[in-house]
Amino acid sequence: MTENSSQPTAPTSELPTQYAPADVEGALYERWVERGYFEADAKSDKPPFTVVIPPPNVTGSLHLGHAFEHTLIDALTRRKRMQGYETLWQPGMDHAGIATQNVVERELAKEGKSRHDLGREAFIERVWQWKGESGGQISGQMRRLGDGVAWSRERFTMDEGLSQAVQTIFKRLYEDELIYRAERIINWCPRCLTAISDIEVEYQDDDGELVSMTYGDGEDTIVVATTRAETMLGDTAVAVHPDDERYRHLIGRQIKLPLTDRSIPVVADAHVDPEFGTGAVKVTPAHDPNDFEIGQRHDLPSLAVMNERAVITVPGPFEGLDRLEARSAIVAALRAEGRIVAEKRPYTHSVGHCSRCKTTIEPRLSLQWWVKVAPLAKAAGDAVRDGRVKIHPQEMEKRYFDWVDNLHDWCISRQLWWGHRIPVWYGPAGEVVCVGPDEEPPTGEGWHQETDVLDTWFSSGLWPFSTLGWPEQTESLAKFYPNSVLVTGYDILFFWVARMMMFGLYAMDGTPPFHTIALHGMVRDQFGKKMSKSFGNAVNPLDWMDKYGSDALRFTLARGANPGVDVPIGEDWVQGSRNFANKIWNATRFALMNGATVEGPLPSPEEMSSTDRWILSRLNKTVAEVDAFYEDYQFAKLSESLFHFAWDEVFDWYVELSKTTFFAGGEQARVSGRVLGEVLDVMLRLLHPVVPFVTDTLWTTLTGGESLVIADWPADSSFRDEAAEREIALVQQVVTEVRRFRSDQGLQPGQKVPARLSLDGTALAPHEAAIRQLLRLQPEGEGFHATASLPVAGATVALDLSGTIDVAAERKRLTKDLGAAEKEVAQANAKLGNEAFLAKAPDQVVDKIRTRLSTAEAEIARITGQLAALPQS
């Protein structure tokens, strides 16, 4: 049992007959915020519990994935707050460089302008203006969901403090030679006009073409194949495997490159797979990452043939054509020269697309800024390997190691205006100066700052400590770093988690940014399909919250949250959760009207009935079970445990079993009222982190306490009564069996039936009144004639069904059903006894027949029992 957070009083008000979430949620949330419940005090002597919000894009709005993740984090932090931790759920938003710049550029386009018409400074001012007017609508939506974040600490990745953190870590990495500038192949988006990182490229199968063509002439002829014919203008070699006998005579020779006045060498490189295609590949170092590596090994020139918009720049007939236009034109020209030997259309192959605008990525040789990730990635891997950081579920560790152990250097420069501008200045004599946050940049004629900005993930990688004031050694940083747990989707394990691990370990002297990484899956529709506007199955969570309440959406999401596994969700399930909220409301109203109270001490076990002791025993087992599930991030299991305890055990059994006690009044009713109050008090506390609105409303009414947000988390009192649990299990068995029999006989649930209960000498005897109430069994009275007798749980329930059913018709129906079941058994046995059939039939077919046999045998036993129980004619 638990102590209330404030002195309990009688219920403060009468609850409305129906729960209306819209009348409760908004005002209640604002009251929580006004009272400062979600704020965190760095000076507190309470142990810290810290979680950062995965910062949503400033351009974004709440989608089901956000609602899912936020529900899980909110449940964790609410519970920890109730357990006495100084709890910080750190909110904030990401500036989302590419996405935000695209939004504002689209607005300018409507005015017939581009960012270049405004200039850099005016454009950035325009973006800040947009943020102030339209950005961050997700904050209001988070309030709708009930997010218990510390709003006074809200941060933005472009605010002054975080910008200082970005400049500081850039300077340190640069001085440690972990940041450098180099010309490499990058992923280029011709629409966004910027480099993007590998993890921002989405691959999908596209229908293209595979063209095979001849290079060289006569004995020097060699066939190569490509899906990007336009890049052949930039070929500087053909590569073959050094051990491929077919081409040994060509290695080192020059062959003619078609459509140009150039000749290119044939080089031997072990990267080439002699078994794939013709075993010869064209090499375009400026437009393919693998070709770039071959070019480096063989000192080949890199010829760029396209500009930043993927338009051909090579002088000649193809100059000025878009890459796709050039592809067709070049294939036509090669065909005219008789150099096309094969064309395959459509040719389905994996193609990279910009995750922001979906444009096909163009590999491009470019001078960019890079992070040398090898030492940082090793530290990130070691932190998990040596146990400083736990990944949950553990099977996700392999995916993490596969990533961090094979990281390529990270391209961090973006050709944008919105973002953290790279703090490097170039001088007139080729000087390069990196400027820290407290340093003055060089001035004078010829000095200018790098125009590129940093990748958005660079700043969000600092989130666990930059939000706490780093690089200043603040009280908040000392108190709340490292984070206790990171709750995030497995889909951004590489985008975000690895970045935070690398930067956290580097900046914070080897202390990882969090103790645990708890990974969850993706929200999908009820059929397991990815939610997408294009599929027509995307759902706005606000619609479901408007219709069913925020608690209903939260409970549905939590109930589906198995670690690392995708979460299916359908509207029917949200409606079911709304019914659960209504059930909690109605049952609590009933309890309050019938004497449930938290006033005074809990009666001693000797004063309680076995029903009282049973529910308290089950309550404490549920507390222990829920605690264990929370510690293992098993949200689905803890939600299921709470659902069945509340609905099945408290409402469907304890309340129903106690009704006769409450109606009778007296001392026992007072005892049970106090027990019911205790059960509701603890149950509402347990439910609160997942369904905060309805529980807080009910709990404050029940207890007179200030709020569940600051109430104590229930503690397992260790009270157990196995004898009472066994006793009530017998009562449940009797009621369940008789209900099943009544249903089988076609009796209506409310139909009363005379009955004789032979319970003497059994543990059921004290429960006769409750059993009769639950089963609608009348006293036997005069003229009672036992037409059916049910032995169950060591007792006998005799029923007089005279006049309630047509015995002859019922016997006829059951006999017909029995015959069908017996026929099914005979057919199944015949097949299972046929050796020839068993030798040929697939295992799944045999298993299906065995299942049918088992089902039919159970049906025979059931029907035979019903026939035996029928009145004798």
Side-chain angles (χ1 to χ4, degrees), residues 811-828:
R811 190 179 300 281
K812 183 177 180 181
R813 181 184 71 81
L814 289 172
T815 301
K816 180 181 178 182
D817 291 348
L818 181 63
E822 289 172 339
K823 182 178 179 181
E824 179 75 17
V825 167
Q827 290 175 342

Side-chain angles (χ1 to χ4, degrees), residues 98 276 485 519 638 865:
I98 296 176
F276 183 76
V485 61
L519 297 171
L638 72 88

